[in-house]
Amino acid sequence: MAGPRVEVDGGIMEGGGQILRVSTALSCLLGLPLRVQKIRAGRSTPGLSFGGWKSKMKVLVGPQHLSGLEMIRDLCDGQLEGAEIGSTEIMFTPEKIKGGVHTADTKTAGSVCLLMQVSMPCVLFAACPSELRLKGGTNAEMAPQIDYTAMVFKPIVEKFGFTFNCDIKMRGYYPKGGGEVIVRMSPVKQLSPINLTDRGCVTKIYGRAFVAGVLPFKVAKDMAAAAVRCIRKEIRDLYVNIQPVQEPKDQAFGNGNGIIIIAETSTGCLFAGSSLGKRGVNADKVGIEAAEMLLANLRHGGAVDEYLQDQLIIFMALASGISRIKTGPVTLHTQTAIHFAEQLAKAKFTVKKSEDEEDASKDTYIIECQGIGMTNPNL
C-alpha cells in the first residue's frame, strides 16, 4: 500500500480535531499514507492538547483525538508516528482494514461519539463484522451527545444502505467520563447515495431530560417544562413530549444533567436541539437553550440540522452516485469536511443557494456530491 504521502495542513479552516478525523479515516479507507502538519495551529495552544481548559471558552479538547488516531491505526494495523500530547505533526501509514473487536478509551470525558465518527466509515469496508467498544464521555461538551447519535444520526446515516447497533452500556459525563458504548456493524459492498432535500412539515416533537448521580429529579422535570414552554411560543399545534429521566445508578458514572429534543417531519427528516447542565446554571436555562437550538434548526428550511451536515460529508464522498442534502447555513465544520473529502478522496462537491421559492427569504443551501463509489475489496 505504498505511494506518495499526502500532505494535509492541520491548521486551516476549522483546524484541529475534525481535520484529523476526516483525513485519517479517508487515509485508512483509500490506503493513502498521510502526513498532517500544523495540527491546531490556529488554536491558543497548538498541538494535540490534553483535556485542559482552553482560554476563556473552557472547551474540553484532546484525548479523544489521540484515542481516535490510535483506533484508526489498530483498525488497519497501520503505523502512526508523532501521536502524542502536544505533537503538531503526525504521520500515518495505513494497511488493510480488518473487522473484529476494537477498543478505544479516551480515559477522560473525551467524546465516544467522536470516536464513532472516525471509525465507522472505516469498518464499513472491513472484511468481516466489527464490534467497537468505545469508552469516555457519552454526554460531553463540544461533541454530539450519544442520544443525538442514536436518535438522529443513526436513522439518517442508515439511508446510505447499512445498519449498525448502538448499545449504551454506561453513561459518562464531564469531567470523569467513564461511559461505554458498544457499536456493532457489518461491512457493505458499496454505499448508496442519499437525497435529503424535501423537508416536509413537523409532525412530532419529543425528547428526554435526564439527571444522573446526586442531582435531584426535579432538575429533569424543570428542564423539560422550560423547554416545552419555549417551544409552545412558536409551535402551538403540536404535543411536545419530553420525558424527564433519572438515569439508573448502574448505568451512569458520575453526576450530570442534560436534555435533547427532536423534531420529526412528514418526510422522515430529524432535527435536534440539546444542552448539558453545568455547575451554577439553572435547569430552566438548560431546557431553554436546547429548545432555542431546535427552533433555530427548524427556521432555516433545511432537511438536516447544523450538527448532521458535517457528519454526512464523508459518507456522501464514498457513496456511489450523486447525493444531495438541503441545509441551513453551511458550517465551518462542514466546509472543512468537504475540503478534505475533495483533497483526499477526489469526490466532487458543489454548494449552492437553494432555488426553491419557499427558501427565497431563508439561508438555505443544497450540498451536492458526486461520490467516488468506493467498493469493499473484501466482499
Side-chain angles (χ1 to χ4, degrees):
M1 274 212 186
R5 207 169 270 289
V6 179
E7 301 283 340
V8 161
D9 182 342
I12 62 171
M13 303 175 83
E14 187 268 339
Q18 179 156 34
I19 294 178
L20 284 170
R21 285 194 295 280
V22 174
S23 57
T24 49
L26 287 169
S27 155
C28 177
L29 281 157
L30 302 163
L32 295 169
L34 179 74
R35 175 195 271 130
V36 185
Q37 301 180 75
K38 299 189 222 150
I39 294 169
R40 305 174 62 80
R43 301 291 179 91
S44 54
T45 47
L48 286 169
S49 58
F50 184 83
W53 292 110
K54 185 184 124 198
S55 67
K56 288 198 276 297
M57 282 171 63
K58 293 195 171 170
V59 177
L60 181 77
V61 287
Q64 67 254 33
H65 303 155
L66 211 49
S67 28
L69 290 169
E70 289 164 350
M71 182 161 204
I72 289 276
R73 175 197 66 199
D74 297 345
L75 284 174
C76 68
D77 278 337
Q79 287 161 318
L80 182 61
E81 296 158 59
E84 56 255 355
I85 302 299
S87 171
T88 56
E89 178 176 314
I90 61 133
M91 299 238 283
F92 176 55
T93 312
E95 295 294 337
K96 191 175 159 173
I97 302 172
K98 54 190 212 297
V101 179
H102 298 281
T103 302
D105 186 352
T106 67
K107 308 265 199 304
T108 64
S111 168
V112 296
C113 301
L114 297 179
L115 291 173
M116 201 186 293
Q117 269 180 39
V118 70
S119 53
M120 262 180 76
C122 301
V123 295
L124 278 175
F125 292 90
C128 62
S130 300
E131 181 176 299
L132 308 173
R133 296 175 168 261
L134 310 174
K135 298 175 182 180
T138 55
N139 299 73
E141 284 291 344
M142 304 307 291
Q145 294 193 45
I146 192 64
D147 308 85
Y148 182 91
T149 301
M151 295 161 83
V152 177
F153 173 76
K154 176 176 162 31
I156 302 293
V157 84
E158 287 181 344
K159 293 179 191 288
F160 285 102
F162 66 93
T163 58
F164 70 96
N165 177 282
C166 180
D167 182 9
I168 306 168
K169 288 281 183 217
M170 178 70 77
R171 287 171 178 268
Y173 313 99
Y174 179 80
K176 291 190 180 133
E180 181 177 13
V181 174
I182 297 180
V183 177
R184 295 182 186 89
M185 57 201 298
S186 292
V188 290
K189 182 72 190 161
Q190 201 170 40
L191 295 175
S192 312
I194 60 165
N195 188 333
L196 291 176
T197 51
D198 179 6
R199 161 91 166 240
C201 51
V202 177
T203 53
K204 51 173 134 165
I205 297 178
Y206 51 90
R208 78 193 294 271
F210 71 86
V211 289
V214 299
L215 295 164
F217 187 54
K218 181 181 184 309
V219 170
K221 291 199 282 202
D222 289 351
M223 287 188 294
V228 171
R229 283 195 302 274
C230 183
I231 292 166
R232 279 264 187 283
K233 287 182 195 147
E234 204 157 319
I235 301 174
R236 294 190 182 83
D237 51 348
L238 278 181
Y239 172 61
V240 182
N241 179 17
I242 302 174
Q243 293 286 325
V245 179
Q246 171 80 55
E247 298 289 10
K249 288 269 188 286
D250 59 345
Q251 285 164 35
F253 182 83
N255 307 311
N257 67 299
I259 180 170
I260 179 163
I261 317 163
I262 292 167
E264 200 172 302
T265 76
S266 52
T267 54
C269 296
L270 296 163
F271 300 83
S274 65
S275 181
L276 284 168
K278 295 169 202 65
R279 187 166 289 169
V281 176
N282 81 10
D284 286 26
K285 198 169 168 193
V286 181
I288 290 165
E289 184 176 70
E292 284 178 343
M293 184 191 290
L294 175 67
L295 292 168
N297 269 314
L298 291 173
R299 281 182 210 118
H300 60 53
V304 300
D305 69 28
E306 63 177 310
Y307 298 102
L308 197 61
Q309 340 172 331
D310 65 288
Q311 296 185 59
L312 297 177
I313 298 301
I314 190 167
F315 297 100
M316 292 168 73
L318 296 170
S320 163
I322 294 175
S323 290
R324 302 176 77 225
I325 60 174
K326 187 192 272 193
T327 73
V330 179
T331 65
L332 184 55
H333 265 98
T334 299
Q335 291 165 29
T336 305
I338 289 173
H339 177 86
F340 290 101
E342 290 190 322
Q343 182 190 340
L344 295 166
K346 306 292 186 262
K348 298 274 184 291
F349 282 86
T350 55
V351 180
K352 292 202 278 278
K353 194 107 173 56
S354 169
E355 285 158 13
D356 290 358
E357 300 200 345
E358 72 265 24
D359 298 331
S361 62
K362 297 177 179 155
D363 221 0
T364 316
Y365 298 84
I366 300 282
I367 301 175
E368 190 173 291
C369 173
Q370 173 70 59
I372 63 170
M374 169 102 186
T375 52
N376 190 332
N378 307 296
L379 293 187

